[in-house]
Amino acid sequence: MTVANLLDFDLEGLAAFCEGLGEKRFRATQLFRWIHQRGATNFDQMSDLAKSLRSKLQGLAEINGLPVISEHVSSDGTIKWLFDVGGGNAVESVYIPEDDRATLCVSSQAGCAVGCRFCSTGHQGFSRNLTTGEIIAQIWYAEHTLRQRLGQSERIISNVVMMGMGEPLQNYSALIPALKIMLDDHGYGLSRRRLTVSTSGVVPMIERLMVDCPVALAVSLHAPNDVLRDELVPLNRKYPIRELLDTCRHYLAAAPRDFITFEYCMLAGVNDTDEHAQQLIDLVKGKIPCKFNLIPFNPFPQSGLRRSDASRVQAFARILADAGIVTTVRKTRGDDIDAACGQLAGEVQDRTNAKDRMQRKPVAVPISIRRLDGSENQSR
Ligand code: SAH
Ligand code: SF4
């Protein structure tokens, strides 16, 4: 008989599991609280749970976290953990403490099939989806390890962003129960505004998320027109900008915030000119309530791309802001431990089929940028 990993179940799932053992539903709530609120690792710890249930669970179920391969602590307090997910694959999570909140950046896949040009995870190819339990193991471990270290019993992680490795909306069936566990008052008690799914734009799944679990949405835009976005975010060829923006607008009807966050990775000479900023304004102004979050590109070997100068990022931000679009520039955290956006490399056995790999590489080929007037220039 297979042993169930209880980290795989949201409260509904755990209730069904307990009912299958002939136990009342409220037992599931007790069990769930032990696991997620108290970080229990075995059933003997669960002192208020009937002995009969505890012995029933032995052998049928376990609380199975992920082995930690390494931990890096940055001088700014950021912590990066590398977790072993088996088969030569590893994923990363990053803890980012700030004055008024503490954010955990969580991975959803080993590798990623989208293959964005500027993303280290994308360059590794795709290995496999994480299970719900593997997604939850990241917050379960971080929350309870930090509580122990800081000698604190109150909740530490106040925000979660699904911005680690992987495209969360391409792992939808594992993602939804994971989000529900994070939102559950008996689990991690996050509010929907403090739980963000970041996506490169999987349009049909944004529509489903709206119905199943409408949390805050961040969309990785990175380009103001389809020609450029096709190159930077290959998924754009399937779901072009117009369609993506229509879906974002629709999502707002259910979203916990009244705007969509657009992430925009600033790549020198590629997507960071005044003209690009103007195109962005034309795309969104008066059409969709949104905020822009400009992310200075975090370089990694083989990207062949450069970070825009700080002055260019500021000038770009100013153009958007002057047009009335709320714009922030993301602070880079954990630079000294390679914990910044897009640097989460983990270790992934690329199981993308060889044909796709050949199409994606070599990675150092210059991106050709077609200007609005149809001329081309080459940029690295
Ligand atoms: N797959 C999802 C979530 C993970 S990536 C998505 O693409 O949205 C989280 C964010 O980091 C995305 O906005 C992504 O575009 C950005 N990112 C990826 N590589 C980066 C890099 N090298 N420098 C800066 N940001 C990067
Ligand atoms: Fe995948 Fe997001 Fe990286 Fe693109 S940016 S390759 S979607 S993880």
Side-chain angles (χ1 to χ4, degrees):
M1 186 189 288
T2 53
V3 178
N5 181 8
L6 299 188
L7 295 185
D8 276 323
F9 294 130
D10 60 15
L11 189 50
E12 265 314 295
L14 194 60
F17 180 79
C18 286
E19 279 177 344
L21 299 178
E23 295 286 338
K24 296 255 165 28
R25 285 177 79 91
F26 81 91
R27 293 286 177 210
T29 307
Q30 278 182 307
L31 190 51
F32 195 79
R33 291 171 67 103
W34 270 106
I35 298 167
H36 298 293
Q37 293 195 335
R38 307 193 52 180
T41 50
N42 67 64
F43 304 119
D44 296 333
Q45 289 169 278
M46 305 180 181
S47 45
D48 62 352
L49 218 60
K51 275 234 172 69
S52 58
L53 172 56
R54 279 191 263 162
S55 56
K56 242 189 249 179
L57 288 169
Q58 304 288 2
L60 285 180
E62 59 190 8
I63 303 158
N64 202 2
L66 290 171
V68 179
I69 299 171
S70 64
E71 174 184 292
H72 295 277
V73 181
S74 162
S75 52
D76 67 15
T78 301
I79 305 175
K80 177 171 84 169
W81 289 285
L82 184 66
F83 294 100
D84 187 357
V85 294
N89 296 311
V91 299
E92 286 169 321
S93 314
V94 181
Y95 168 72
I96 309 153
E98 288 173 274
D99 293 343
D100 57 342
R101 70 185 119 167
T103 304
L104 189 71
C105 177
V106 170
S107 293
S108 58
Q109 298 180 312
C112 182
V114 178
C116 301
R117 291 291 301 263
F118 49 81
C119 174
S120 166
T121 306
H123 274 259
Q124 299 179 67
F126 176 67
S127 188
R128 70 170 175 85
N129 281 327
L130 299 188
T131 62
T132 297
E134 288 168 332
I135 297 172
I136 285 300
Q138 299 169 60
I139 182 171
W140 179 74
Y141 177 84
E143 175 69 33
H144 297 292
T145 301
L146 292 169
R147 272 195 216 178
Q148 235 171 27
R149 252 181 229 178
L150 302 172
Q152 196 171 309
S153 55
E154 314 85 83
R155 196 153 54 94
I156 293 189
I157 294 165
S158 62
N159 295 56
V160 168
V161 291
M162 297 302 303
M163 291 185 189
M165 299 169 69
E167 169 48 59
L169 295 186
Q170 286 188 340
N171 185 14
Y172 193 79
S173 60
L175 176 73
I176 296 301
L179 297 179
K180 291 194 168 153
I181 296 168
M182 295 185 214
L183 293 173
D184 203 305
D185 283 340
H186 300 296
Y188 297 88
L190 298 182
S191 72
R192 290 195 293 130
R193 318 161 49 86
R194 289 172 172 270
L195 176 53
T196 302
V197 167
S198 175
T199 179
S200 55
V202 191
V203 162
M205 293 299 146
I206 297 175
E207 296 281 354
R208 283 185 59 186
L209 187 67
M210 180 179 173
V211 176
D212 295 335
C213 198
V215 294
L217 187 67
V219 171
S220 294
L221 195 58
H222 307 309
N225 61 65
D226 284 325
V227 173
L228 184 54
R229 195 164 190 270
D230 279 353
E231 292 203 44
L232 295 176
V233 184
L235 195 66
N236 195 67
R237 295 171 202 157
K238 199 160 178 194
Y239 307 114
I241 293 176
R242 178 90 21 228
E243 225 177 286
L244 178 58
L245 295 190
D246 284 347
T247 301
C248 288
R249 208 174 291 112
H250 188 211
Y251 190 85
L252 283 171
R257 293 178 182 271
D258 54 7
F259 59 88
I260 299 287
T261 303
F262 289 123
E263 295 161 278
Y264 197 94
C265 178
M266 298 291 290
L267 303 162
V270 173
N271 65 356
D272 68 346
T273 64
D274 289 359
E275 199 179 341
H276 291 121
Q278 191 52 54
Q279 285 183 33
L280 280 180
I281 293 166
D282 296 343
L283 200 60
V284 301
K285 191 165 181 191
K287 295 177 186 146
I288 178 162
C290 62
K291 286 188 182 174
F292 270 83
N293 192 210
L294 306 181
I295 316 172
F297 170 59
N298 293 304
F300 57 94
Q302 332 98 13
S303 75
L305 296 161
R306 283 184 302 114
R307 174 187 286 198
S308 308
D309 291 343
S311 59
R312 179 81 302 256
V313 176
Q314 285 310 323
F316 196 92
R318 166 73 30 219
I319 297 173
L320 297 182
D322 285 348
I325 299 169
V326 176
T327 305
T328 51
V329 177
R330 188 173 295 171
K331 272 188 289 179
T332 297
R333 297 286 305 260
D335 246 356
D336 51 341
I337 56 168
D338 281 355
C341 299
Q343 287 182 323
L344 302 186
E347 273 164 37
V348 170
Q349 302 288 310
D350 185 356
R351 297 193 177 87
T352 316
N353 74 49
K355 191 166 136 272
D356 289 353
R357 267 203 315 270
M358 294 309 287
Q359 285 175 348
R360 210 174 50 247
K361 290 170 181 168
V363 294
V365 172
I367 294 180
S368 73
I369 302 156
R370 287 164 208 97
R371 293 190 166 278
L372 278 181
D373 60 12
S375 66
E376 284 198 11
N377 75 341
Q378 299 277 310
S379 163
R380 289 292 303 262

